[in-house]
Amino acid sequence: MRIVVVGAGAIGSYLGAALAADGHQVGLLGRAAYVARVRARGVTIVQGGVERVVTGVTAAERIEDLVTGEAEAGFDLAIVTVKTFDTAEAARLLQPFVSAGRGRVVLIQNGVGGDEIAAGLLPPSALVTGVITAVVAVRDVAHYEVRGKGGGLCLAPYAPEGAPVEPLVGMFQRAGVRCRACPDARAIRWSKLLLNMMANAVPAITDLSPAEVYADDLLYALEAAAVREALAVMRAAGVRPVRLPGYPVNVLAWLLERAPQGLARALLRRMVGGARGGKKPSLQIDLERGRGESEVTYLNGAVAREAARLGLPAPVNGAITGVLESLAAGTLERSTFHRSPQALAERAAAAGWRG
């Protein structure tokens, strides 16, 4: 199969390398330093203590150097792993090569909203919603480590008229990637959102580690309130939490709403530790790198927007989103919230939180 990976970071490189090692023709779209490294040495993946170098891949800075617009060329599959706020740009790159019935696009992203952005630019029937729970850490340029054994990939057709995803599932499985088909795109997208919300935005805002956040009573109360708001939104929207590879999100949701607070807190702490794999939260990394945008817009922000549409309160998610978006844009000083749980709690209280 002819495959192009758009946004070849840790996840895209891992999946692309696995598919290339299984005999597929894979092109990786990346920046200059990445492309130079891949061309010189291939992609290195460390998994289960074993290091593998995959050289049978192509890398380029321009999509035109990976695919052509001729009818007999193009690609069979595009794997998009860019940040959600870069979805429109990725979709525009793919537009000349995707038409109804030719070329499928798998969107492997965090948060809610990227599918809809892509569907406004590409044929919805060509889109596949994907979420991944594998933890892939960066060791160096084009050098990655897959941590843990329980993570994997879930795929679902974005549109009812989309082709079945089982052939793609089989392709990933044969390449050694744990993968399964799911019937409900919204369910897997919102279930992954629940995981991505936990100890992500709050550490980014306060410059505290996830462990420090969960050790602080006030910040834990904010975290728990944000998740409860998300669960209320999902329930009202008719979206049920589902099990993802390595993460029984449906069971987690049930326990968070019904278990004693101490048990729920211990469970969340354990889940976050497994999901992060020792890595800094993604929102914290992006903020430290000075990116002008934040994926919080599609995580806590998605909860706040859907709550507003449904007429539900979501003050904590709204406050968290507003603060982190402003920090990313540079309109708020990071020092205001640095190691200050009270400063963030005051913002949430002003928005209506009664924690």
Side-chain angles (χ1 to χ4, degrees):
M1 184 177 284
R2 296 164 300 174
I3 301 167
V4 60
V5 178
V6 180
I11 296 297
S13 297
Y14 161 56
L15 296 176
L19 293 168
D22 196 45
H24 296 279
Q25 180 181 326
V26 177
L28 304 170
L29 187 65
R31 297 181 179 177
Y34 174 86
V35 170
R37 178 65 179 264
V38 173
R39 288 178 176 176
R41 305 182 188 178
V43 177
T44 302
I45 303 294
V46 180
Q47 189 168 13
V50 177
E51 183 173 283
R52 177 173 64 169
V53 179
V54 179
T55 57
V57 292
T58 303
E61 294 178 66
R62 302 188 321 135
I63 195 167
E64 292 82 3
D65 295 330
L66 298 175
V67 298
T68 72
E70 300 173 9
E72 67 274 16
F75 57 81
D76 301 305
L77 180 70
I79 300 173
V80 176
T81 56
V82 300
K83 297 284 187 179
T84 310
F85 49 71
D86 288 329
T87 302
E89 181 182 355
R92 290 189 188 99
L93 287 176
L94 296 172
Q95 271 181 330
F97 314 104
V98 180
S99 62
R102 184 172 71 86
R104 301 190 78 184
V105 179
V106 179
L107 291 162
I108 301 175
Q109 296 178 315
N110 297 328
V112 170
D115 298 311
E116 290 71 25
I117 293 171
L121 296 164
L122 299 170
S125 60
L127 300 179
V128 175
T129 296
V131 301
I132 190 165
T133 56
V135 177
V136 185
V138 178
R139 284 193 169 186
D140 199 351
V141 179
H143 188 174
Y144 308 98
E145 180 183 2
V146 183
R147 297 177 178 173
K149 299 179 180 179
L153 184 61
C154 276
L155 302 178
Y158 169 70
E161 67 272 20
V165 298
E166 282 74 12
L168 297 179
V169 169
M171 177 191 71
F172 280 109
Q173 289 176 340
R174 288 188 294 273
V177 177
R178 187 180 181 187
C179 186
R180 65 182 178 87
C182 300
D184 188 337
R186 286 203 310 161
I188 62 172
R189 192 63 89 200
W190 277 91
S191 294
K192 183 67 191 304
L193 176 143
L194 288 175
L195 293 180
N196 288 124
M197 282 176 58
M198 297 174 186
N200 199 350
V202 171
I205 291 169
T206 59
D207 288 326
L208 294 169
S209 69
E212 289 174 314
V213 166
Y214 276 77
D216 184 276
D217 291 343
L218 189 54
L219 292 182
Y220 172 73
L222 282 168
E223 285 273 326
V227 172
R228 285 195 295 268
E229 288 176 4
L231 289 171
V233 165
M234 290 174 67
R235 187 162 49 246
V239 181
R240 299 185 64 179
V242 296
R243 181 181 294 271
L244 299 177
Y247 297 92
V249 182
N250 52 337
V251 176
L252 172 66
W254 187 90
L255 287 172
L256 287 176
E257 292 195 300
R258 294 169 175 80
Q261 181 177 340
L263 177 61
R265 188 171 184 172
L267 177 64
L268 273 176
R269 182 179 296 172
R270 182 175 179 181
M271 289 287 290
V272 167
R276 299 280 177 248
K279 295 168 57 180
K280 276 189 176 182
S282 61
L283 298 179
Q284 191 171 16
I285 293 171
D286 285 346
L287 187 62
E288 290 173 354
R289 288 177 177 172
R291 301 196 69 156
E293 295 179 277
S294 174
E295 272 199 311
V296 73
T297 304
Y298 303 97
L299 294 168
N300 304 79
V303 175
R305 287 192 301 277
E306 187 67 2
R309 187 184 72 83
L310 295 167
L312 297 175
V316 175
N317 282 288
I320 286 172
T321 303
V323 168
L324 190 45
E325 286 179 339
S326 297
L327 291 173
T331 56
L332 271 181
E333 290 292 335
R334 292 186 63 186
S335 59
T336 302
F337 301 92
H338 177 71
R339 306 189 72 83
S340 178
Q342 190 63 40
L344 180 57
E346 287 173 359
R347 289 286 181 132
W353 180 51
R354 298 292 179 262

